């Protein structure tokens, strides 16, 4: 998928999510929400493999992007999706900050925070998914 990075996890969905949340908090970021799509499906009488989104960030990172183009706010705060495929493999996926910049036509003023987000997301994904 264009603009989406997916990283295979060495852990199951719950452990990947818990590791991700711990890493987010360790970096001083705020976890705004965890959205459990599988639980929502179950409440509607439907089945869905583990699928959960974690929304997180801080104003210092996202505000410069929204200050450039407010429409970037539709893609912020940052989010990671932890999901399990049909073979039982767990994945962590996230929108690439460069894709967000292209999507909203962000200018050079957003380069530094966007590059920081890129490094942050890669580090979080690695810490959450690998031993």
């Amino acid at each position: 998928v264009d603009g989406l990075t997916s990283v295979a996890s060495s852990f199951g969905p719950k452990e990947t999510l818990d590791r991700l949340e711990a890493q987010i908090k360790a970096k001083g970021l705020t976890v705004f929400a965890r959205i459990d799509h599988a639980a929502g499906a179950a409440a509607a009488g439907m089945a869905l493999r583990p699928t959960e989104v974690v929304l997180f960030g801080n104003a210092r990172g996202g505000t410069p992007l929204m200050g450039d183009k407010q429409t970037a706010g539709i893609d912020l705060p940052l989010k990671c999706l932890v999901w399990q495929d049909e073979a039982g493999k767990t994945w962590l996926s996230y929108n690439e900050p460069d894709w967000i910049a292209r999507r909203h036509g962000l200018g050079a003023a957003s380069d530094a925070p966007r590059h920081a987000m890129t490094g942050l997301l890669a580090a979080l994904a690695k810490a959450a998914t690998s031993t």
Side-chain angles (χ1 to χ4, degrees):
V1 175
D2 183 37
L4 187 71
T5 292
S6 293
V7 179
S9 180
S10 299
F11 309 102
K14 182 181 179 337
E15 187 170 354
T16 301
L17 283 158
D18 291 345
R19 291 169 62 94
L20 174 62
E21 186 169 348
Q23 286 299 311
I24 290 167
K25 290 177 178 177
K27 295 203 178 288
L29 302 169
T30 301
V31 174
F32 297 114
R34 280 178 66 161
I35 302 166
D36 187 341
H37 291 297
M46 300 165 61
L48 181 66
R49 290 183 302 276
T51 308
E52 191 164 342
V53 176
V54 179
L55 284 87
F56 62 94
N58 70 33
R60 292 198 185 280
T63 301
L65 279 68
M66 290 182 282
D68 186 2
K69 301 283 182 163
Q70 281 182 289
T71 58
I74 194 72
D75 292 311
L76 298 170
L78 294 172
K79 57 188 136 302
C80 289
L81 171 70
V82 175
W83 55 284
Q84 189 177 61
D85 68 18
E86 58 279 347
K89 182 74 179 161
T90 299
W91 297 86
L92 185 151
S93 300
Y94 59 86
N95 287 326
E96 297 162 2
D98 287 344
W99 175 82
I100 295 170
R102 285 191 313 274
R103 180 177 190 206
H104 298 281
L106 299 180
S110 70
D111 285 354
R114 182 171 43 83
H115 292 308
M117 286 177 185
T118 300
L120 170 71
L121 286 165
L124 289 173
K126 182 177 181 180
T129 62
S130 60
T131 56

